[in-house]
Amino acid sequence: MPKSTVIGTERLLLKPPTLEDTQAIFDRYASDADVTRYLGWPKHTSVQDTQAFVGFSLSEWARWGVGPLLAFDRKSGALLGGSGLVKETADRAATGYVFARDAWGKGYATESLRAMVALAAECKVARLYALCHVDHRPSCRVLEKCGFQREGVLHRHLVFPNLSPEPLDVFRYARSPV
């Protein structure tokens, strides 16, 4: 379990979502078709979709002591996106990131992913992994910059509901946080 639920990096504050964040999550990134294109969850079409995400987040935090995190600009306080750890077992977790379109290309995904690697180490996670659509090259670069190794292609493995109803190929990346 982490020492704190708020994680600070050079430019970001990462903290668990609250119900008060629902509208900002919906407005900033969850309802944006470009942002959600390569994600494994459908674009939110209503604030109720985002409320369900917040509910899921709260249950993950209650169950595991970690879960989804929102990324806020340290200076302005603006919501930029999100990251987090989703534990599968006591020593295995998945991670990922999503950022609003105006936050792309500024290194926030790399910064937040490095924070997730450190959080995974603090939580004694032995295997941290991420799945990435084979055509999402910017995300592949972020994972590789953060020390994740591409382990291979999982064919027809994951539905990307914003691209296709059929399962699509993904790269599997992993690393040991320690």
Side-chain angles (χ1 to χ4, degrees), residues 97 132-133 136-144 150 171 173:
Y97 35 84
C132 180
H133 187 283
H136 196 194
R137 299 297 180 207
S139 192
C140 293
R141 283 193 299 275
V142 167
L143 288 160
E144 291 163 4
R150 186 184 302 170
F171 290 129
Y173 283 87

Side-chain angles (χ1 to χ4, degrees), residues 8-31:
T9 68
E10 181 182 341
R11 300 176 299 158
L12 301 173
L13 283 178
L14 298 141
K15 50 191 171 181
T18 66
L19 288 174
E20 291 78 28
D21 298 313
T22 302
Q23 190 66 52
I25 296 166
F26 181 80
D27 293 342
R28 289 288 290 140
Y29 64 86
S31 64

Side-chain angles (χ1 to χ4, degrees), residues 78-143:
L79 176 63
L80 299 173
S83 190
L85 294 182
V86 176
K87 281 201 150 185
E88 294 179 348
T89 67
D91 63 353
R92 184 177 65 236
T95 191
Y97 35 84
V98 57
F99 282 87
R101 204 175 331 162
D102 63 0
W104 291 356
K106 298 179 181 176
Y108 294 128
T110 302
E111 192 169 329
S112 68
L113 185 58
R114 286 186 176 135
M116 293 309 96
V117 171
L119 177 60
E122 184 181 337
C123 295
K124 309 283 191 258
V125 169
R127 180 174 172 77
L128 181 62
Y129 78 92
L131 301 177
C132 180
H133 187 283
V134 295
D135 292 335
H136 196 194
R137 299 297 180 207
S139 192
C140 293
R141 283 193 299 275
V142 167
L143 288 160

